Amino acid sequence: MNGWNWSVVEDFMPRFWDGVLVTLQALALGSLIAFALGLVWALAQRSDKIWISWPVTAVTEFIRNTPLLVQLFFLFYVVPTFGPAMSPLTTGIIGLGLHYSTYTAEVYRAGINGVPVGQWEAATALSLPKTRTWTSVILPQAIRRVVPALGNYVISMLKDSPMIAIIGAFEMFGEARSFSNETFTQEAILVVGVAFILIAYPASVLLRALERRLVR
């Protein structure tokens, strides 16, 4: 490649690894929040109590239809005026997790709706408590069905992680953009582009293999 300078890449690598660490932290912790909170949303939306299901549905619809960037700005700049101030990374993790929890909620809901009616009827015939029905019968089947879809949202979260650099949490792309602006070079951007492919593509392959395994 004409004009490629390996010394620039060498200078960028320490900041690159710092960015990788931030990216992986945001991705791992954000995914945990999205998976756990999404299940809470899905169960709350199925509640027989209207005062629970309606507000939860309204909140999740609002979050899902609001840009992630706006939510990050709100959490970082507005929330501290009447609540606790958070570091850029913590804000980014919460923002990613909260935003994607509304999507995983729909995935869980589809998985729960996909459980055969006979499973519910069998649990009722056996007089299983409601909690036992959910934890031992319904959720194990529903979650198994939706694992590939949840994995797809992890990859989507990875691709959206550069947004947290806007509030000062410099992940891979944020570090690359900052370095490029300081040195007037482009090598760092290309290195990060390759890094995203090296992370996302194997993950996609593993998800396809997992999906085939679960189908069998």
Side-chain angles (χ1 to χ4, degrees):
M1 179 177 177
N2 294 331
W4 183 264
N5 190 338
W6 285 106
S7 65
V8 173
V9 176
E10 185 178 355
D11 292 339
F12 170 64
M13 291 313 291
R15 294 173 63 171
F16 169 75
W17 292 117
D18 290 340
V20 169
L21 179 59
V22 172
T23 297
L24 294 180
Q25 286 178 316
L27 183 62
L29 298 177
S31 296
L32 288 177
I33 294 174
F35 294 163
L37 191 56
L39 182 57
V40 173
W41 295 145
L43 295 178
Q45 288 175 343
R46 292 182 60 90
S47 174
D48 296 331
K49 299 178 177 62
I50 295 178
W51 59 272
I52 293 178
S53 60
W54 283 18
V56 168
T57 300
V59 169
T60 54
E61 285 294 328
F62 177 79
I63 294 174
R64 187 164 54 248
N65 291 287
T66 306
L68 173 59
L69 187 60
V70 174
Q71 295 169 15
L72 290 173
F73 271 99
F74 179 82
L75 290 172
F76 191 67
Y77 293 108
V78 180
V79 169
T81 61
F82 56 85
M86 297 178 289
S87 69
L89 179 56
T90 300
T91 304
I93 291 170
I94 293 175
L96 286 170
L98 181 62
H99 183 78
Y100 275 93
S101 71
T102 61
Y103 292 96
T104 59
E106 292 300 306
V107 173
Y108 285 126
R109 188 167 66 87
I112 292 170
N113 290 340
V115 175
V117 177
Q119 299 293 310
W120 297 90
E121 295 174 345
T124 301
L126 293 172
S127 300
L128 291 180
K130 192 172 184 178
T131 302
R132 182 74 181 279
T133 298
W134 277 104
T135 58
S136 299
V137 180
I138 304 303
L139 289 181
Q141 297 183 64
I143 292 176
R144 182 180 180 183
R145 295 168 181 267
V146 302
V147 166
L150 294 177
N152 288 333
Y153 280 117
V154 174
I155 295 175
S156 296
M157 194 180 301
L158 171 66
K159 293 187 291 186
D160 277 346
S161 63
M163 289 191 185
I164 68 176
I166 299 296
I167 57 174
F170 279 15
E171 40 59 71
M172 289 191 296
F173 183 73
E175 291 285 5
R177 186 174 58 180
S178 176
F179 182 85
S180 297
N181 290 338
E182 294 169 7
T183 60
F184 302 102
T185 58
Q186 298 299 322
E187 282 84 352
I189 300 292
L190 295 175
V191 168
V192 168
V194 172
F196 271 108
I197 294 174
L198 292 178
I199 295 173
Y201 182 72
S204 298
V205 172
L206 289 175
L207 285 172
R208 298 288 82 77
L210 177 61
E211 184 174 4
R212 290 193 296 269
R213 182 184 179 88
L214 291 177
V215 167
R216 289 199 298 269

